[in-house]
Every structure is written in structure tokens, then in C-alpha cells.
Amino acid sequence: MSEWKMTYRGIVYPWQCDHMGHMNVMWYTGKFDEACWQLLSMLGLNSSRFAKDGTAMAAVEQHTQYKRELHPGDAVTIQSALLEIKDKSIHMLHKMVHDASAEIAATTVVVGVHIDAAIRKAIRLPEDVRQRAMEMTERELGALQGIGE
């Protein structure tokens, strides 16, 4: 797994809450989606790159665990890390933290596939993106090796 990166910071608004008074699941998904795009951008996959290359990213799998309710006014931060980079896909892990208590409110694992936007078929991730992902992972491994010395 790569190092954690801050990819989202925001507030739970009253209009994001359901009849039970806590943030509705659709808003967890939305905030996690924004975090995905931030992490992808850190790797060099952003809207201008997609337009230039005629490519895109498509989410093909997402698993979310809800750990703690969030209420109007709660400040949250999402930290993200790379779990795995494959030939055509990126596996990302995100954790949403309730800032006041530092408790994890939810986690999600997302699998995104790099595609040719015209024909909607999976294609290999660009080498520079793969290189950045590897560097991100290597920095964490290097930091872990220094622990306990």
C-alpha cells in the first residue's frame, strides 16, 4: 500500500442528511468520488490529460463500510492510498475521518479502469502514471524501513 494522501476535506451539510438526521449514503459515495479524482490527479490522470489522450477512468467496483454516523456540521477529511496498480487498473483505498473525534466514519475500496474513451475498452495505464504510483509506494516502504533503527 502507498502512503496516505489527504484527498478531501469538507463539511456535512444539513441537506446531505436523510430523515434519520445523519448523512445519507449517497453523500459518502460522492465525497469518496471526489477523493478518487484527487488521487488520480496526483498520479497525472486529470481532465486535461484525458481530453488530450482520448482516455478516461471508469469505476468498476466499490466496497464501502460505514463505521460511524455523520451529522450536519461535522467536518470530515478523506485520506487515500494506492492498494495496487495493475496493467489497466488502479485499486484505491479511502478512509473518511470525523475530524473532531479522529474516528473513521467510513472506508471504501474502489477499482478504476483506464479506458479508451471512444471505444470504451480497457487500455494500459500510461508509463508516467505507473512510475508515479511506484514512487509513491516506494516512499512508504523507505519510511517504514527507517522505523526502529
Side-chain angles (χ1 to χ4, degrees), residues 39-40 43 45 56-61 81-93 109-116 121-127 129-131 133-134 137:
L39 187 58
L40 291 172
L43 294 174
L45 294 171
M57 289 296 291
V60 296
E61 190 174 343
L82 300 173
L83 287 176
E84 185 176 28
I85 301 292
K86 292 188 174 180
D87 192 42
K88 299 175 184 179
S89 66
I90 299 174
H91 297 222
M92 299 167 269
L93 172 63
V109 175
V110 178
V111 179
V113 175
H114 188 240
I115 64 170
D116 180 306
K121 297 284 184 189
I123 58 173
R124 184 173 169 78
L125 286 159
E127 276 310 310
V129 171
R130 295 174 62 75
Q131 184 62 38
M134 295 305 292
T137 302

Side-chain angles (χ1 to χ4, degrees), residues 11 17 35 38 41 73 80 116 119 125 129:
I11 298 293
C17 297
Q38 287 292 329
S41 184
S80 305
D116 180 306
I119 61 173
L125 286 159
V129 171

Side-chain angles (χ1 to χ4, degrees), residues 2-148:
S2 72
E3 60 193 31
W4 290 106
K5 301 282 187 187
M6 202 241 318
T7 52
Y8 178 88
R9 178 163 272 160
I11 298 293
V12 176
Y13 291 98
W15 49 269
Q16 294 174 323
C17 297
D18 58 23
H19 65 283
M20 294 177 57
H22 59 257
M23 187 166 73
N24 187 271
V25 296
M26 70 184 278
W27 298 106
Y28 286 85
T29 302
K31 292 174 188 303
F32 280 134
D33 184 61
E34 289 186 48
C36 282
W37 291 112
Q38 287 292 329
L39 187 58
L40 291 172
S41 184
M42 290 175 194
L43 294 174
L45 294 171
N46 55 42
S47 60
S48 59
R49 172 80 176 264
F50 294 136
K52 181 176 81 61
D53 294 350
T55 60
M57 289 296 291
V60 296
E61 190 174 343
Q62 182 167 355
H63 298 278
T64 303
Q65 292 185 327
Y66 303 98
K67 309 263 187 195
R68 178 195 196 287
E69 291 182 349
L70 294 172
H71 299 97
D74 285 346
V76 296
T77 300
I78 297 176
Q79 296 175 344
S80 305
L82 300 173
L83 287 176
E84 185 176 28
I85 301 292
K86 292 188 174 180
D87 192 42
K88 299 175 184 179
S89 66
I90 299 174
H91 297 222
M92 299 167 269
L93 172 63
H94 306 283
K95 63 180 177 180
M96 183 181 294
V97 178
H98 178 258
D99 290 349
S101 69
E103 292 177 70
I104 295 176
T107 62
T108 195
V109 175
V110 178
V111 179
V113 175
H114 188 240
I115 64 170
D116 180 306
I119 61 173
R120 305 284 200 215
K121 297 284 184 189
I123 58 173
R124 184 173 169 78
L125 286 159
E127 276 310 310
D128 64 300
V129 171
R130 295 174 62 75
Q131 184 62 38
R132 276 189 201 93
M134 295 305 292
E135 289 169 3
M136 204 180 278
T137 302
E138 287 171 6
R139 278 195 303 273
E140 181 187 77
L141 292 174
L144 288 174
Q145 288 174 350
I147 296 173

